[in-house]
Amino acid sequence: MLRSMYSGISGLRNFQTKLDVIGNNIANVNTSGFKKGRVVFKDLISQTTQGATAPNGTQGGTNPKQVGLGSQLAAIDTIHEGGSMQTTNRGLDCAIQGDGYFVVSDGTNNYYTRAGNFYLDSTGILVTADGKNVVGDGGQIAVPMDQGPTELTIGQDGTVSVMLPGNTTPTAVGKIQIARFANPGGLTKVGGNYFQPSNNSGQPVTGNAKEEGRGSIESGFLEMSNVDLSEEFTEMIVAQRGFQANSRIITTSDEILQELVNLKR
């Protein structure tokens, strides 16, 4: 009875983790560039009560007899498939169509993101909503505000151009860089829509958009979260029922133990 009770406890623990991940996915259904999580289970070690036997000339073989001891987490994956594009018609909003991540910097560390809601600060530096610099081919991307630029455009290859009073053609001021990873699923979430490399993601390979397998940059769009609410609610029902079923294992085992105790009165 204790064995089944502890198996039920392992199931409760794992389904609680699954519900935590689902809750985080639903909370970020409208977060630009968010990548949903997924929980995968695997079984624990099985106790062998009788080993398998090989067949001989007079008798066939027998299969092993094993009792499982519960379940455990196999992985909590981050699903990096692209989300839908949302039209914003704002020139500084950018989405990556294809593979890759925007590179941003706080001056010390680089971070990687699919959220391309960019802004110009008071000095003309292209930054994220929390002030991190968008990394270009020459470092910061700076618009010469003192020269009175009248129009800013971002091309599919990441080239940021401005029209200056009197220069009749746009002037390029930088090119937004895109990073790729050998294993995006190995990236570590660090909050704020940002990822950083881990020991299993591989190091970033940074370069221009539309080159070496990197996606194109689409100005006037934002990438939406890749969370599918219908899928999340279905998984929530499955997790809830799994939690209930495992709780029944515990209560049933408890009732049987109570009957055993009551045998002697």
Side-chain angles (χ1 to χ4, degrees):
M1 291 303 104
L2 289 177
R3 183 165 52 193
S4 62
M5 187 174 291
Y6 284 112
S7 292
I9 290 172
S10 71
L12 288 180
R13 186 182 300 115
N14 292 333
F15 279 112
Q16 180 60 61
T17 301
K18 184 179 180 70
L19 286 169
D20 291 340
V21 172
I22 292 171
N24 183 62
N25 288 343
I26 293 175
N28 286 282
V29 68
N30 286 325
T31 301
S32 297
F34 177 79
K35 302 305 175 187
K36 66 184 178 182
R38 179 187 67 181
V39 176
V40 181
F41 300 145
K42 63 180 179 181
D43 65 337
L44 279 170
I45 188 172
S46 295
Q47 181 176 351
T48 302
T49 60
Q50 180 178 315
T53 61
N56 54 42
T58 59
Q59 187 172 340
T62 61
N63 295 326
K65 296 180 176 66
Q66 296 179 293
V67 179
L69 299 179
S71 64
Q72 62 181 324
L73 285 178
I76 302 178
D77 300 325
T78 300
I79 308 301
H80 284 265
E81 67 179 6
S84 301
M85 297 290 186
Q86 177 185 9
T87 304
T88 66
N89 294 319
R90 178 177 176 268
L92 289 178
D93 286 341
C94 296
I96 299 175
Q97 181 73 39
D99 193 16
Y101 299 81
F102 296 112
V103 187
V104 300
S105 174
D106 61 4
T108 303
N109 298 308
N110 285 345
Y111 301 87
Y112 305 89
T113 183
R114 294 281 292 195
N117 49 312
F118 300 140
Y119 307 86
L120 291 178
D121 68 9
S122 60
T123 62
I125 304 297
L126 190 65
V127 297
T128 63
D130 57 0
K132 291 183 174 60
N133 295 327
V134 179
V135 175
D137 52 352
Q140 294 179 340
I141 298 176
V143 175
M145 303 299 287
D146 56 340
Q147 298 183 38
T150 58
E151 184 181 356
L152 184 148
T153 58
I154 300 176
Q156 288 189 328
D157 63 351
T159 300
V160 181
S161 304
V162 294
M163 290 293 293
L164 299 176
N167 289 34
T168 57
T169 58
T171 299
V173 295
K175 183 175 286 188
I176 297 173
Q177 296 292 278
I178 300 293
R180 294 184 70 204
F181 294 88
N183 174 29
L187 291 171
T188 300
K189 290 183 177 181
V190 294
N193 275 343
Y194 299 125
F195 296 93
Q196 281 193 314
S198 73
N199 292 331
N200 198 40
S201 66
Q203 291 303 303
V205 181
T206 305
N208 298 327
K210 302 180 67 175
E211 293 181 3
E212 299 177 333
R214 299 177 188 88
S216 62
I217 295 177
E218 306 296 333
S219 177
F221 297 87
L222 283 179
E223 181 179 348
M224 301 174 66
S225 167
N226 65 356
V227 173
D228 183 340
L229 275 181
S230 60
E231 177 184 356
E232 297 303 321
F233 282 127
T234 300
E235 290 295 321
M236 184 187 298
I237 293 171
V238 171
Q240 180 183 7
R241 296 308 180 195
F243 192 95
Q244 290 176 335
N246 280 274
S247 68
R248 295 296 183 270
I249 293 174
I250 296 173
T251 56
T252 301
S253 298
D254 177 62
E255 291 170 0
I256 294 175
L257 286 172
Q258 183 65 39
E259 289 298 324
L260 290 174
V261 171
N262 291 337
L263 286 176
K264 185 177 184 305
R265 290 184 177 177

Short mmCIF file of all heavy atoms in Angstrom, two decimals, residues 133-162:
data_model
loop_
_atom_site.label_atom_id
_atom_site.label_comp_id
_atom_site.label_asym_id
_atom_site.label_seq_id
_atom_site.Cartn_x
_atom_site.Cartn_y
_atom_site.Cartn_z
N ASN A 133 20.39 48.46 -25.44
CA ASN A 133 20.75 48.86 -26.79
C ASN A 133 20.53 47.72 -27.77
O ASN A 133 20.94 46.58 -27.50
CB ASN A 133 22.22 49.29 -26.84
CG ASN A 133 22.49 50.54 -26.03
OD1 ASN A 133 21.64 51.41 -25.91
ND2 ASN A 133 23.68 50.62 -25.44
N VAL A 134 19.93 48.02 -28.91
CA VAL A 134 19.82 47.05 -29.99
C VAL A 134 21.18 46.98 -30.69
O VAL A 134 21.73 48.01 -31.10
CB VAL A 134 18.71 47.44 -30.98
CG1 VAL A 134 18.63 46.44 -32.13
CG2 VAL A 134 17.37 47.54 -30.26
N VAL A 135 21.72 45.78 -30.82
CA VAL A 135 23.07 45.62 -31.37
C VAL A 135 23.02 45.62 -32.89
O VAL A 135 22.26 44.87 -33.51
CB VAL A 135 23.71 44.31 -30.85
CG1 VAL A 135 25.07 44.07 -31.53
CG2 VAL A 135 23.87 44.37 -29.34
N GLY A 136 23.85 46.49 -33.50
CA GLY A 136 23.99 46.55 -34.94
C GLY A 136 25.35 46.05 -35.37
O GLY A 136 26.15 45.58 -34.54
N ASP A 137 25.64 46.15 -36.65
CA ASP A 137 26.91 45.65 -37.16
C ASP A 137 28.11 46.46 -36.66
O ASP A 137 29.24 45.99 -36.71
CB ASP A 137 26.91 45.61 -38.69
CG ASP A 137 26.50 46.95 -39.30
OD1 ASP A 137 26.07 47.85 -38.55
OD2 ASP A 137 26.60 47.09 -40.53
N GLY A 138 27.85 47.65 -36.15
CA GLY A 138 28.94 48.45 -35.60
C GLY A 138 28.76 48.76 -34.13
O GLY A 138 29.36 49.71 -33.62
N GLY A 139 27.95 47.98 -33.44
CA GLY A 139 27.66 48.24 -32.04
C GLY A 139 26.28 48.88 -31.91
O GLY A 139 25.29 48.35 -32.40
N GLN A 140 26.22 50.03 -31.27
CA GLN A 140 24.95 50.76 -31.16
C GLN A 140 24.49 51.26 -32.52
O GLN A 140 25.29 51.52 -33.42
CB GLN A 140 25.10 51.95 -30.22
CG GLN A 140 25.38 51.62 -28.77
CD GLN A 140 25.54 52.87 -27.92
OE1 GLN A 140 25.81 53.96 -28.44
NE2 GLN A 140 25.38 52.73 -26.62
N ILE A 141 23.16 51.38 -32.65
CA ILE A 141 22.59 52.00 -33.85
C ILE A 141 22.11 53.38 -33.45
O ILE A 141 21.18 53.51 -32.65
CB ILE A 141 21.45 51.14 -34.41
CG1 ILE A 141 21.97 49.76 -34.83
CG2 ILE A 141 20.78 51.85 -35.59
CD1 ILE A 141 20.90 48.83 -35.31
N ALA A 142 22.76 54.41 -33.98
CA ALA A 142 22.49 55.78 -33.55
C ALA A 142 21.96 56.60 -34.73
O ALA A 142 22.57 56.64 -35.80
CB ALA A 142 23.75 56.42 -33.00
N VAL A 143 20.84 57.25 -34.51
CA VAL A 143 20.25 58.16 -35.50
C VAL A 143 20.72 59.58 -35.16
O VAL A 143 20.61 60.01 -34.01
CB VAL A 143 18.72 58.08 -35.45
CG1 VAL A 143 18.10 59.12 -36.40
CG2 VAL A 143 18.24 56.68 -35.80
N PRO A 144 21.29 60.30 -36.12
CA PRO A 144 21.81 61.65 -35.85
C PRO A 144 20.67 62.65 -35.63
O PRO A 144 20.26 63.35 -36.57
CB PRO A 144 22.63 61.98 -37.09
CG PRO A 144 22.02 61.15 -38.18
CD PRO A 144 21.54 59.90 -37.53
N MET A 145 20.20 62.74 -34.41
CA MET A 145 19.05 63.60 -34.10
C MET A 145 19.38 65.08 -34.32
O MET A 145 18.50 65.89 -34.63
CB MET A 145 18.61 63.37 -32.66
CG MET A 145 18.26 61.92 -32.33
SD MET A 145 16.88 61.27 -33.32
CE MET A 145 15.51 62.13 -32.55
N ASP A 146 20.66 65.45 -34.16
CA ASP A 146 21.04 66.85 -34.31
C ASP A 146 20.94 67.33 -35.75
O ASP A 146 20.97 68.53 -36.02
CB ASP A 146 22.47 67.07 -33.79
CG ASP A 146 23.48 66.17 -34.47
OD1 ASP A 146 23.08 65.13 -35.04
OD2 ASP A 146 24.68 66.51 -34.43
N GLN A 147 20.82 66.36 -36.70
CA GLN A 147 20.73 66.75 -38.11
C GLN A 147 19.27 66.79 -38.60
O GLN A 147 19.04 67.01 -39.79
CB GLN A 147 21.53 65.77 -38.97
CG GLN A 147 23.02 65.77 -38.65
CD GLN A 147 23.81 64.86 -39.56
OE1 GLN A 147 23.52 64.78 -40.76
NE2 GLN A 147 24.81 64.17 -39.01
N GLY A 148 18.34 66.57 -37.68
CA GLY A 148 16.93 66.69 -38.03
C GLY A 148 16.43 65.65 -39.00
O GLY A 148 15.89 66.02 -40.06
N PRO A 149 16.59 64.35 -38.69
CA PRO A 149 16.08 63.31 -39.59
C PRO A 149 14.57 63.41 -39.71
O PRO A 149 13.87 63.72 -38.74
CB PRO A 149 16.51 62.01 -38.91
CG PRO A 149 16.65 62.36 -37.46
CD PRO A 149 17.13 63.77 -37.43
N THR A 150 14.07 63.12 -40.91
CA THR A 150 12.63 63.27 -41.15
C THR A 150 11.90 61.95 -41.31
O THR A 150 10.68 61.91 -41.20
CB THR A 150 12.40 64.11 -42.42
OG1 THR A 150 13.06 63.49 -43.53
CG2 THR A 150 12.96 65.52 -42.23
N GLU A 151 12.63 60.87 -41.58
CA GLU A 151 11.97 59.58 -41.80
C GLU A 151 12.95 58.46 -41.47
O GLU A 151 14.13 58.56 -41.78
CB GLU A 151 11.51 59.46 -43.25
CG GLU A 151 10.73 58.18 -43.54
CD GLU A 151 10.31 58.09 -45.00
OE1 GLU A 151 10.56 59.06 -45.76
OE2 GLU A 151 9.74 57.06 -45.38
N LEU A 152 12.43 57.42 -40.84
CA LEU A 152 13.26 56.26 -40.50
C LEU A 152 12.61 55.00 -41.05
O LEU A 152 11.41 54.79 -40.87
CB LEU A 152 13.45 56.15 -38.99
CG LEU A 152 14.38 55.03 -38.46
CD1 LEU A 152 15.07 55.48 -37.18
CD2 LEU A 152 13.61 53.73 -38.22
N THR A 153 13.40 54.17 -41.71
CA THR A 153 12.89 52.90 -42.25
C THR A 153 13.85 51.78 -41.87
O THR A 153 15.05 52.00 -41.69
CB THR A 153 12.75 52.95 -43.78
OG1 THR A 153 14.02 53.25 -44.36
CG2 THR A 153 11.73 54.00 -44.20
N ILE A 154 13.30 50.57 -41.76
CA ILE A 154 14.10 49.39 -41.47
C ILE A 154 13.83 48.37 -42.57
O ILE A 154 12.68 47.95 -42.77
CB ILE A 154 13.77 48.79 -40.09
CG1 ILE A 154 14.06 49.83 -38.99
CG2 ILE A 154 14.57 47.52 -39.83
CD1 ILE A 154 13.66 49.38 -37.60
N GLY A 155 14.86 47.96 -43.28
CA GLY A 155 14.71 47.02 -44.39
C GLY A 155 14.68 45.58 -43.91
O GLY A 155 14.98 45.27 -42.75
N GLN A 156 14.35 44.68 -44.83
CA GLN A 156 14.28 43.26 -44.48
C GLN A 156 15.64 42.68 -44.10
O GLN A 156 15.70 41.67 -43.40
CB GLN A 156 13.69 42.46 -45.65
CG GLN A 156 12.20 42.67 -45.85
CD GLN A 156 11.63 41.71 -46.86
OE1 GLN A 156 12.30 41.30 -47.80
NE2 GLN A 156 10.38 41.32 -46.66
N ASP A 157 16.71 43.31 -44.56
CA ASP A 157 18.04 42.84 -44.18
C ASP A 157 18.53 43.50 -42.90
O ASP A 157 19.67 43.30 -42.49
CB ASP A 157 19.05 43.09 -45.31
CG ASP A 157 19.23 44.58 -45.61
OD1 ASP A 157 18.46 45.41 -45.07
OD2 ASP A 157 20.14 44.92 -46.39
N GLY A 158 17.65 44.29 -42.25
CA GLY A 158 18.00 44.93 -40.99
C GLY A 158 18.61 46.30 -41.11
O GLY A 158 18.95 46.93 -40.10
N THR A 159 18.79 46.83 -42.33
CA THR A 159 19.40 48.14 -42.51
C THR A 159 18.47 49.24 -42.01
O THR A 159 17.32 49.34 -42.44
CB THR A 159 19.73 48.39 -43.98
OG1 THR A 159 20.65 47.39 -44.43
CG2 THR A 159 20.36 49.77 -44.17
N VAL A 160 18.96 50.05 -41.08
CA VAL A 160 18.21 51.19 -40.55
C VAL A 160 18.65 52.43 -41.31
O VAL A 160 19.84 52.79 -41.31
CB VAL A 160 18.48 51.37 -39.04
CG1 VAL A 160 17.67 52.55 -38.49
CG2 VAL A 160 18.13 50.10 -38.28
N SER A 161 17.71 53.10 -41.99
CA SER A 161 18.01 54.26 -42.83
C SER A 161 17.17 55.44 -42.40
O SER A 161 16.03 55.27 -41.93
CB SER A 161 17.75 53.94 -44.31
OG SER A 161 18.49 52.81 -44.72
N VAL A 162 17.72 56.64 -42.55
CA VAL A 162 16.99 57.86 -42.25
C VAL A 162 17.14 58.84 -43.40
O VAL A 162 18.12 58.80 -44.15
CB VAL A 162 17.50 58.52 -40.94
CG1 VAL A 162 17.20 57.65 -39.74
CG2 VAL A 162 18.98 58.83 -41.03
#
